[in-house]
Amino acid sequence: MTKRSSDTTPGAKTGKQHHLLIVESPAKARTIKKYLGATFTVKASVGHVKDLPKSKMGVDVEHGFAPDYVVIRGKNKIIGEIKKAAKEVDHVYLAPDPDREGEAIAWHIAEEIRDANPNVSRVLLHEITRKGVAEALQHPTALDEHKFESQQARRILDRLVGYEISPILWRKVKRGLSAGRVQSVAVRIIVEREREIAAFKPEEYWSIECDEEPVDRPGQSFTAKLFKRDGDKASLTNGDQARAIADELRGVPHAVETVERKERRRFPLPPFITARLQQEAARKLRMTAKRTMALAQRLYEGLDLEGEGPVGLITYLRTDSTRVSDDAIAEARTFIAERFGADYLPESPVVYKSRKGAQDAHEAIRPTSMRYDPDTVRRLLKGKKSKRDHEEAEDLVRLYQLIWNRFVACQMKPALYDQTTVDIAAGRHTLRATGQVLKFAGYTAVYIESLEENRGNGNGNGNGNGNGGGPGGGPESAEDRQLPDLAAGQPLRLLGVEPEQHFTQPPPRFTEASLVKELEEKGIGRPSTYATILSTIQDRGYVEKGEGRFTPTELGTLVNDLLVGSFPDILNVDFTAQMEDRLDKVEEGDVNWVSLLHEFYTPFKADLATAAATMRDVKREEIPTEHTCEKCGSPMVIKWGKNGSFLACSGYPACKNTKEFVRRPDGTIEIAPESTTTEVCELCGSPMVVKRGRFGEFLACSRYPDCRSTKAISLGVACPREGCGGFIAEKRSRRGKPFYGCSNYAKTKCDFVLWDRPVPRPCPSCGAKFLVKKVSRRGTQIRCVSEGCGYSSDGEAPEPPAAQAESGA
């Protein structure tokens, strides 16, 4: 280390060197500070300090794609504090996260402080522990120019796509739309899955189950399924065929033909990589990818444990490597031997190979120390001052336990099963019964992986109900059951025959887990970006999530089709995956970042010009229909508006009649009946009808546009503000998130608001006039929001009465 010569530094006065270490987050800074002595100052940049400007492109495409970085709003003060601290130390260590984004943060901070202190090094913190911090500081490196250039190339690519395509969408569809290089491909995957579902034609098939028992041992019954007919795999396509075979089975003797017994081993899965953690947390904990990454970030940066201070509990959370350090494996093996015994410990450590193309800079996601088991962490977590704090702490422990269990299990022996397969002869038919019994728990004593959604389905398309009996059906799953002790030639008694009808099922809509899996398998984005992708496509209104599954919105389908038609490369899955590979090669120093951008931009510029001229002008498009306007007799046409497509009179602006419609399966349209209420317009006395606008449903006069009177729809709960006189209505934020606010906001600016739906039922504890219903991944909870009450109960509450326009009506 080079000591600064200035005698104004603390180091010059004391003879000791002083250092500055910079990380992104204050939480990480607090954790690290406890491991370093008084010779270190630790500061946080609070994320990126510089970025491309929001108000303009910020990329000079004519001069080597030079970026115009600016200080992010609000970060001048932070940069000033870091510069001041840099002047007062001998050496600066830049320790943002050890990935591309972290490298960009380090690079931009170095640019800002170079004049204040040129003695700058990069340190890579793979775990926030005393040992991890010490090792990183013992092996400082220079800034990684290639890694920074890879991040910069990605940022510029995304800026070029977003800032050059979005204005075309504004002109052709509506203002405020945006396109994303990776997010738009994710939307395409969801749209294409929805079209597969719509085009799917179910096929009928049948299965036959027989209840059997040994003749000499009544009461030991078991179930066998039709397996073969005349030596070929049985495929039953209709009920007559199935019933005929059932009759045959009733009229022939049944006897055991063969019995096969074998020991089967099930091996543990590797420790978590980022994508697998997101998938498993979605399946087991019902957490979104965004929530999973936010909690994992906190576990990595450090939790405040009673008597311990801030402790980093897991290794770096953004990784696609299954590599584990020798020290961590040794610690896990010691824990397994002590906790479970030598029978559960393999003779040698288990080593897992990372998939091809994985970045091996980081270890797998694992606990930083076996000292902090999940029960200990739960006991030591402090700061649970409110119910919300307690729930947050519990979610942190649940995710930590998932990571802990998976890591411990990966170093344990496989589970052993005794598996039995019995074939039964019944005339010209063969029946099969399978069973397995757990013989040795092995790693399943700690962790049982969730089944993949489509594993073992047998309906011919890999997405059915898993009964193994469909056309081209998949294998039967051996259930955890034990069959009677049977032998070849043993006669059986048929107790019953059950033919059952099935239909093949369409491919399922994507869940968070299956969409992350799809993105990972297709090479779209990187593990660190999946959570952002899933959040962005919902925030933009391109997809919705209902019952945990994604469906494209009308807007998402429209924008997808326009982009696929005009930008086939950018919306191409293979092209996007290849671009990720090219960005990896920039990081490895094998591809020049400017050359990569030139190769991309030349055809992209041509596509932009073509799209500007030829893309459908949806804003001005009027699609004729067979319907006529009941007010003026002109044809009705389909137009596109702020809230989607609607029927409008072609006589506009002379006639402003509009209607909502639904599209039939054959493509024709049907005018949707207007939903009326008991409310009448206060201005003209006409019935009010329910309309849907940008910010949710509302009541409008049925004589619109002659009468433009509107009202909010009451949820049956009066505004609790004294003297307000308004009522609570459902509203939607600009991002489409529902909330509940006072109907008098526009009149009196009453700002009463709730995020949980109000329930018009008095609180049984304090007598408050309403409760609220909170729906979360843990279920539904009814609670009181009155200060100091604390009443809550699990389960559903009665829904508010039918929508009324006035409170208490």
Side-chain angles (χ1 to χ4, degrees):
M1 250 178 248
T2 303
K3 183 176 178 180
R4 297 188 53 160
S5 58
S6 172
D7 58 4
T8 62
T9 65
K13 293 178 181 178
T14 64
K16 295 181 179 179
Q17 290 192 333
H18 282 69
H19 317 287
L20 171 65
L21 188 140
I22 302 170
V23 295
E24 309 104 310
S25 79
K28 190 191 292 188
R30 287 193 296 271
T31 306
I32 291 174
K33 180 61 181 173
K34 84 168 192 175
Y35 300 135
L36 301 175
T39 60
F40 270 89
T41 298
V42 184
K43 286 194 171 291
S45 69
V46 195
H48 283 272
V49 296
K50 297 171 78 172
D51 195 7
L52 299 174
K54 290 186 176 181
S55 59
K56 60 180 181 178
M57 173 82 74
V59 179
D60 189 347
V61 296
E62 303 297 330
H63 299 88
F65 299 93
D68 177 22
Y69 290 114
V70 297
V71 174
I72 295 171
R73 185 177 179 180
K75 291 300 181 73
N76 278 309
K77 180 180 178 181
I78 292 174
I79 291 176
E81 292 174 353
I82 290 175
K83 279 184 178 180
K84 181 180 178 182
K87 288 180 180 179
E88 298 174 351
V89 299
D90 298 277
H91 204 98
V92 179
Y93 294 98
L94 301 175
D97 284 350
D99 57 15
R100 291 173 183 169
E101 292 299 318
E103 202 66 30
I105 294 171
W107 193 276
H108 290 148
I109 292 174
E111 287 180 338
E112 291 294 318
I113 68 172
R114 191 86 59 185
D115 292 342
N117 191 333
N119 300 321
V120 176
S121 297
R122 177 80 162 107
V123 290
L124 304 176
L125 299 173
H126 298 290
E127 59 181 68
I128 311 301
T129 61
R130 187 179 302 278
K131 178 182 176 182
V133 172
E135 287 183 353
L137 288 171
Q138 289 169 9
H139 302 92
T141 67
L143 288 166
D144 189 330
E145 184 172 9
H146 294 314
K147 185 178 286 188
F148 167 69
E149 288 172 347
S150 178
Q151 188 277 344
Q152 181 168 261
R154 178 190 293 276
R155 186 73 185 92
I156 293 173
L157 278 171
D158 292 342
R159 176 54 63 98
L160 291 172
V161 171
Y163 274 52
E164 302 230 67
I165 294 181
S166 296
I168 299 176
L169 293 176
W170 296 356
R171 293 195 299 271
K172 305 285 188 175
V173 186
K174 72 173 185 177
R175 288 194 64 82
L177 295 182
S178 58
R181 184 181 61 86
V182 178
Q183 292 93 331
S184 294
V185 178
V187 173
R188 179 179 186 176
I189 290 172
I190 294 170
V191 169
E192 290 182 346
R193 174 59 60 88
E194 195 67 21
R195 285 181 170 147
E196 287 180 46
I197 295 170
F200 181 80
K201 304 296 183 187
E203 296 179 16
E204 181 184 13
Y205 68 95
W206 287 70
S207 65
I208 296 179
E209 288 190 352
C210 295
D211 289 334
E212 311 266 3
E213 71 176 9
V215 171
D216 59 346
R217 274 173 287 153
Q220 295 188 17
S221 63
F222 61 97
T223 301
K225 293 182 179 181
L226 178 65
F227 179 51
K228 290 183 178 180
R229 178 179 171 85
D230 294 328
D232 297 324
K233 188 173 181 66
S235 179
L236 311 183
T237 58
N238 60 71
D240 290 341
Q241 183 186 24
R243 284 185 285 272
I245 291 176
D247 289 340
E248 286 186 45
L249 290 170
R250 293 187 185 100
V252 296
H254 292 223
V256 176
E257 187 173 50
T258 61
V259 179
E260 180 184 1
R261 295 183 178 90
K262 60 182 178 181
E263 185 180 81
R264 188 172 67 87
R265 292 189 293 173
R266 181 186 295 172
F267 290 91
L269 293 174
F272 280 127
I273 59 175
T274 306
R276 297 288 186 272
L277 176 61
Q278 292 174 1
Q279 292 168 45
E280 199 73 341
R283 292 176 185 138
K284 286 194 167 185
L285 308 180
R286 296 294 184 264
M287 289 182 180
T288 64
K290 182 177 181 179
R291 176 68 171 162
T292 298
M293 294 302 283
L295 293 172
Q297 185 75 33
R298 290 189 60 190
L299 292 171
Y300 164 68
E301 292 179 347
L303 298 185
D304 198 11
L305 303 184
E306 190 77 49
E308 304 280 337
V311 176
L313 292 173
I314 66 171
T315 53
Y316 190 53
L317 62 150
R318 297 176 181 89
T319 177
D320 56 2
S321 170
T322 56
R323 178 176 60 83
V324 176
S325 72
D326 292 342
D327 288 347
I329 290 177
E331 194 176 359
R333 286 175 61 82
T334 299
F335 174 84
I336 293 166
E338 292 175 352
R339 179 68 61 91
F340 298 97
D343 289 344
Y344 285 80
L345 189 66
E347 292 183 5
S348 58
V350 184
V351 178
Y352 296 90
K353 291 184 179 180
S354 297
R355 63 179 178 83
K356 184 179 180 182
Q359 305 292 306
D360 205 42
H362 316 299
E363 288 187 55
I365 303 171
R366 62 165 176 84
T368 56
S369 171
M370 302 308 292
R371 172 186 172 193
Y372 297 105
D373 63 82
D375 289 338
T376 299
V377 171
R378 181 179 281 107
R379 177 172 53 82
L380 296 180
L381 268 180
K382 64 180 182 177
K384 302 183 289 294
K385 298 179 181 178
S386 68
K387 185 173 183 180
R388 184 174 180 178
D389 291 336
H390 175 77
E391 290 176 351
E392 182 79 1
E394 187 58 31
D395 280 352
L396 285 162
V397 174
R398 289 167 68 220
L399 185 64
Y400 180 64
Q401 182 139 31
L402 192 69
I403 295 167
W404 169 279
N405 289 357
R406 175 87 163 221
F407 175 63
V408 172
C410 85
Q411 292 301 317
M412 296 176 73
K413 282 185 176 180
L416 300 181
Y417 297 84
D418 279 335
Q419 182 171 304
T420 304
T421 301
V422 177
D423 282 355
I424 299 167
R428 59 188 183 128
H429 301 97
T430 302
L431 309 175
R432 173 165 287 185
T434 58
Q436 67 177 22
V437 177
L438 181 63
K439 183 180 177 181
F440 173 67
Y443 79 94
T444 64
V446 178
Y447 184 87
I448 300 176
E449 63 274 16
S450 60
L451 291 177
E452 293 181 7
E453 290 182 327
N454 301 330
R455 183 184 297 174
N457 292 328
N459 62 357
N461 64 8
N463 295 299
N465 52 27
N467 58 27
E476 292 183 344
S477 58
E479 299 176 9
D480 288 330
R481 62 185 179 190
Q482 189 167 7
L483 297 174
D485 188 14
L486 302 170
Q490 186 170 0
L492 301 172
R493 178 182 295 111
L494 178 64
L495 302 178
V497 181
E498 187 66 33
E500 187 174 356
Q501 183 187 38
H502 310 278
F503 291 93
T504 57
Q505 299 295 311
R509 292 187 175 95
F510 288 107
T511 62
E512 290 236 352
S514 60
L515 184 55
V516 167
K517 184 172 185 285
E518 187 81 0
L519 295 173
E520 181 196 20
E521 289 180 348
K522 292 186 179 298
I524 306 300
R526 281 292 177 259
S528 59
T529 66
Y530 296 152
T532 301
I533 292 170
L534 270 55
S535 296
T536 300
I537 60 179
Q538 294 176 78
D539 292 343
R540 290 179 176 175
Y542 293 153
V543 304
E544 294 175 336
K545 191 165 64 171
E547 297 181 354
R549 294 184 180 271
F550 291 106
T551 55
T553 61
E554 183 183 23
L555 175 64
T557 301
L558 173 66
V559 171
N560 172 75
D561 292 349
L562 294 175
L563 294 180
V564 170
S566 297
F567 301 95
D569 282 345
I570 291 177
L571 271 290
N572 181 278
V573 170
D574 292 337
F575 177 87
T576 307
Q578 290 165 11
M579 183 59 71
E580 294 293 347
D581 291 339
R582 299 276 287 166
L583 289 167
D584 287 345
K585 291 187 181 301
V586 172
E587 181 174 340
E588 295 161 7
D590 297 331
V591 171
N592 178 270
W593 72 276
V594 177
S595 298
L596 179 149
L597 292 172
H598 273 297
E599 291 172 10
F600 167 82
Y601 194 71
T602 301
F604 176 59
K605 187 176 181 180
D607 287 343
L608 284 169
T610 302
T614 65
M615 183 185 283
R616 281 174 55 199
D617 196 339
V618 179
K619 267 187 180 179
R620 295 168 179 79
E621 192 174 64
E622 296 184 354
I623 303 174
T625 72
E626 70 273 22
H627 298 279
T628 57
C629 175
E630 78 277 11
K631 294 187 176 182
C632 72
S634 300
M636 298 291 280
V637 295
I638 299 175
K639 299 186 71 172
W640 180 266
K642 291 185 297 183
N643 303 309
S645 56
F646 63 99
L647 276 178
C649 180
S650 58
Y652 180 88
C655 180
K656 299 180 179 178
N657 188 20
T658 62
K659 299 283 183 182
E660 294 187 11
F661 69 90
V662 293
R663 198 176 295 277
R664 302 188 188 101
D666 62 1
T668 60
I669 66 167
E670 177 183 353
I671 295 176
E674 291 185 329
S675 176
T676 59
T677 74
T678 58
E679 286 301 309
V680 295
C681 175
E682 294 175 349
L683 298 182
C684 71
S686 299
M688 302 290 279
V689 295
V690 179
K691 295 282 189 179
R692 176 170 289 279
R694 181 180 179 187
F695 299 113
E697 291 187 339
F698 63 96
L699 291 178
C701 181
S702 58
R703 291 186 59 244
Y704 176 89
D706 297 324
C707 179
R708 298 175 180 268
S709 175
T710 62
K711 288 182 179 180
I713 298 176
S714 174
L715 296 176
V717 174
C719 178
R721 293 280 170 84
E722 186 174 351
C724 173
F727 55 84
I728 306 304
E730 179 175 349
K731 303 182 179 184
R732 289 191 177 267
S733 68
R734 294 186 180 275
R735 291 193 170 186
K737 183 177 181 180
F739 69 97
Y740 308 91
C742 181
S743 60
N744 276 347
Y745 177 78
K747 298 176 183 177
T748 65
K749 296 295 182 183
C750 177
D751 59 357
F752 180 80
V753 67
L754 294 165
W755 286 108
D756 299 327
R757 187 181 184 91
V759 177
R761 193 179 78 186
C763 174
S765 178
C766 72
K769 294 183 178 180
F770 69 93
L771 300 168
V772 298
K773 180 168 73 171
K774 182 178 180 63
V775 180
S776 69
R777 57 188 166 274
R778 289 197 176 119
T780 300
Q781 186 182 63
I782 306 300
R783 62 189 181 93
C784 182
V785 293
S786 298
E787 186 174 353
C789 178
Y791 169 78
S792 68
S793 67
D794 294 331
E796 293 287 342
E799 286 294 326
Q804 303 292 329
E806 296 294 344
S807 170

